[in-house]
Amino acid sequence: MTFATLGLIEPLLRALETLGYQTPTPVQAQAIPAVLAGRDLMAAAQTGTGKTAGFAVPLLQLLTMEGPKVAANSARALILCPTRELAEQVHASVAEYAQNLPLTTYAVYGGVSINPQMMKLRKGVDILVATPGRLIDLFRQNALKLNQLQTLVLDEADRMLDLGFSEELANIYRMLPKKRQTLLFSATFSDEIRTLAGQMLNDPLTIEVSPRNVAANTVKQWVVPVDKKRKAELFVHLMRKGRWKQVLVFAKTRNGVDALVDKLQGLGINADGIHGDKPQATRQRALDRFKSSDVQILVATDVAARGLDIEDLPLVVNFDLPIVAEDYIHRIGRTGRAGNTGEAISLVCADEVNMLSAIEMLTRQTLSRHMEQDFEPEHRVPDTDASGQVVKKPKKPKKPKSSGGGGKRNLGKWVESGDASPVEPSIKPVRKVPVFNTGPRKKK
Ligand code: AMP
């Protein structure tokens, strides 16, 4: 199958050729004809499957072939994204696909001044990429009208719900014209997503290009059990042993990010961090430097899990496991993209066993464990499997240790991350996370 056989027009075929896209990915092969036929779509696609082109390319074709010119302060198509980074990236992709078309595109998001965005919207834009909060602000300030809207795309819809945007989505829903095409994309499908789809979509075609909730099988995943207080030391050890060149590291909290970056920089390692407390420009700069390999280790909270598309990123390390199991899929989806192979290593301490179990159940696999010599945990990580069971074996009483942790244990001035600092608020889950076996608590 080729892009031409999917019925795409010549300016789009030329753009895709320039980008080096030779054959449609499975999600593109299914989504492109359906969108061109005007269908609503509910698509589950893993990260890195090419879903952006799956919706953007046919959308561009429809906008080129049909409908009136865009009016002032209007948009003909709206793509909603959960984070600024993703909005920027989706917009960059849309602009690339539209390079030979007479269409205008623009991205709006919070954290930057609204005035230039209002000015830009005056003439109207064909495709507007937006985060929900800023979109509502612009609408309320009459900078944007949505009565000309033909198509709405909800990108990473599951993530929008995780980030607590359900109220914003309900508000936006009320602002939209009734007659429109709606495309919902989500890396994972939950029951809430299905409910949202039931409200927003009209007789949608469902596309599921990979089994539900399974991470890309091009990513080799494994877990290293370790005591919490030795995670940083283990990270440095693995990094040196494996001669890691470019690594994206996920930590749970802002303080955790800062502490790890300080620790690495203190050891002369070229590291930088991004999280929600840093200004947008600083975050973008760190990302750009990482992408251009000027920074070797980028440590991030889940804010960075979306919107990062780095060619050939070989390795993702979960310094802490994510609180929301689905985030694991998004995190490791930063590697092994577009058919490349990748590796995802999780440093897991005993406290995180329920998160590990939730991840294994969601991804329907038991992650293999590799014990690293000299880092065997004192606090054993109980066994887990894909059924969501945490096997808490009765522990044999341990022989007392000979020393209180000298020798290799204290490398530099590591400040324990995570305990005192709050979880990055922007990733606080509002819906229930599958957490299993929290202990015997049957009361009757
Ligand atoms: P996405 O899942 O949309 O974030 O895309 C993941 C990566 O795959 C991006 O770097 C795209 O540029 C790339 N990509 C998307 N479609 C294709 C294709 N048909 N052939 C080659 N690369 C692609």
Side-chain angles (χ1 to χ4, degrees):
M1 185 188 294
T2 62
F3 284 107
T5 55
L6 294 177
L8 293 178
I9 53 176
E10 192 273 335
L12 283 167
L13 293 175
R14 236 182 326 128
L16 296 174
E17 198 184 326
T18 310
L19 293 169
Y21 294 11
Q22 283 168 358
T23 37
T25 65
V27 68
Q28 291 163 0
Q30 293 186 59
I32 291 173
V35 177
L36 288 177
R39 291 288 304 261
D40 278 9
L41 213 63
M42 168 153 174
Q46 293 168 255
T47 51
T49 52
K51 67 189 165 67
T52 315
F55 63 76
V57 167
L59 178 58
L60 287 165
Q61 177 151 334
L62 290 182
L63 293 172
T64 307
M65 313 288 284
E66 297 169 8
K69 219 172 147 294
V70 70
N73 291 103
S74 299
R76 296 169 66 205
L78 171 64
I79 303 173
L80 280 179
C81 299
T83 65
R84 306 160 192 179
E85 282 83 2
L86 189 67
E88 270 295 345
Q89 182 172 301
V90 167
H91 177 250
S93 298
V94 171
E96 278 182 330
Y97 304 141
Q99 59 187 265
N100 304 317
L101 297 172
L103 297 173
T104 50
T105 65
Y106 189 50
V108 294
Y109 40 79
V112 293
S113 168
I114 198 167
N115 291 336
Q117 298 179 350
M118 294 171 93
M119 300 271 287
K120 180 79 189 189
L121 287 174
R122 275 190 195 159
K123 283 190 181 159
V125 289
D126 291 296
I127 298 196
L128 183 65
V129 186
T131 53
R134 180 53 60 98
L135 181 88
I136 292 173
D137 281 353
L138 287 162
F139 184 82
R140 292 203 173 132
Q141 298 194 41
N142 293 324
L144 179 68
K145 289 177 275 186
L146 291 174
N147 42 356
Q148 213 191 349
L149 196 84
Q150 287 174 224
T151 308
L152 169 72
V153 181
L154 299 163
D155 194 16
E156 310 242 1
D158 54 340
R159 180 68 169 178
M160 286 200 264
L161 295 184
D162 281 345
L163 291 175
F165 285 134
S166 53
E167 206 173 302
E168 280 85 349
L169 290 181
N171 282 335
I172 292 169
Y173 177 63
R174 286 194 284 274
M175 292 153 30
L176 299 171
K178 290 249 162 350
K179 193 171 166 299
R180 58 163 203 278
Q181 184 179 27
T182 308
L183 315 174
L184 183 149
F185 281 77
S186 179
T188 49
F189 272 177
S190 63
D191 293 338
E192 280 160 299
I193 289 292
R194 289 176 192 277
T195 309
L196 178 78
Q199 291 158 356
M200 296 262 232
L201 306 182
N202 176 23
D203 183 25
L205 184 79
T206 302
I207 295 180
E208 243 172 306
V209 289
S210 52
R212 275 178 74 178
N213 301 337
V214 175
N217 56 14
T218 47
V219 181
K220 190 176 157 220
Q221 305 161 56
W222 44 284
V223 162
V224 189
V226 62
D227 282 333
K228 192 173 182 173
K229 60 181 186 241
R230 297 195 69 200
K231 279 192 178 184
E233 194 188 335
L234 172 63
F235 179 83
V236 173
H237 164 83
L238 291 174
M239 193 191 116
R240 290 188 170 146
K241 186 173 142 188
R243 294 170 200 266
W244 293 346
K245 289 205 174 62
Q246 197 192 20
V247 194
L248 178 63
V249 186
F250 285 99
K252 191 168 59 183
T253 65
R254 298 167 181 190
N255 287 358
V257 168
D258 290 341
L260 183 59
V261 170
D262 284 353
K263 161 95 177 171
L264 297 174
Q265 288 178 345
L267 292 170
I269 295 163
N270 183 357
D272 204 347
I274 54 173
H275 56 62
D277 262 355
K278 302 203 176 199
Q280 180 61 22
T282 314
R283 277 157 66 173
Q284 197 60 49
R285 197 166 50 242
L287 260 181
D288 291 344
R289 293 188 61 224
F290 182 63
K291 284 188 183 189
S292 62
S293 302
D294 291 335
V295 163
Q296 184 190 359
I297 313 274
L298 186 68
V299 190
T301 55
D302 281 283
V303 156
R306 306 300 163 110
L308 262 182
D309 180 29
I310 301 155
E311 251 175 70
D312 296 332
L313 179 64
L315 178 61
V316 166
V317 171
N318 291 310
F319 188 82
D320 304 306
L321 286 184
I323 297 174
V324 181
E326 276 118 349
D327 280 342
Y328 176 83
I329 297 175
H330 296 303
R331 286 179 177 192
I332 73 165
R334 301 303 107 197
T335 179
R337 286 167 89 72
N340 290 323
T341 53
E343 213 174 342
I345 304 174
S346 301
L347 313 188
V348 179
C349 64
D351 283 4
E352 294 173 304
V353 67
N354 285 331
M355 296 173 204
L356 178 61
S357 170
I359 288 165
E360 290 183 337
M361 180 152 155
L362 182 75
T363 59
R364 300 208 204 103
Q365 61 183 335
T366 306
L367 294 171
S368 66
R369 298 184 182 200
H370 292 246
M371 210 60 92
E372 190 64 27
Q373 208 187 347
D374 293 334
F375 287 89
E376 295 86 354
E378 283 176 20
H379 301 282
R380 194 180 146 269
V381 181
D383 291 338
T384 49
D385 62 33
S387 70
Q389 297 297 314
V390 177
V391 186
K392 286 193 172 140
K393 281 191 197 147
K395 271 208 282 183
K396 280 194 215 148
K398 270 193 180 169
K399 284 187 193 141
K401 287 266 173 251
S402 53
S403 85
K408 287 184 179 171
R409 198 146 303 168
N410 297 314
L411 232 185
K413 271 199 288 169
W414 169 243
V415 185
E416 187 69 59
S417 71
D419 291 338
S421 72
V423 170
E424 179 85 307
S426 61
I427 60 153
K428 223 180 236 171
V430 289
R431 64 195 171 105
K432 291 244 160 38
V433 191
V435 174
F436 309 96
N437 276 6
T438 45
R441 47 205 272 271
K442 264 193 190 158
K443 262 201 258 167
K444 273 229 158 141

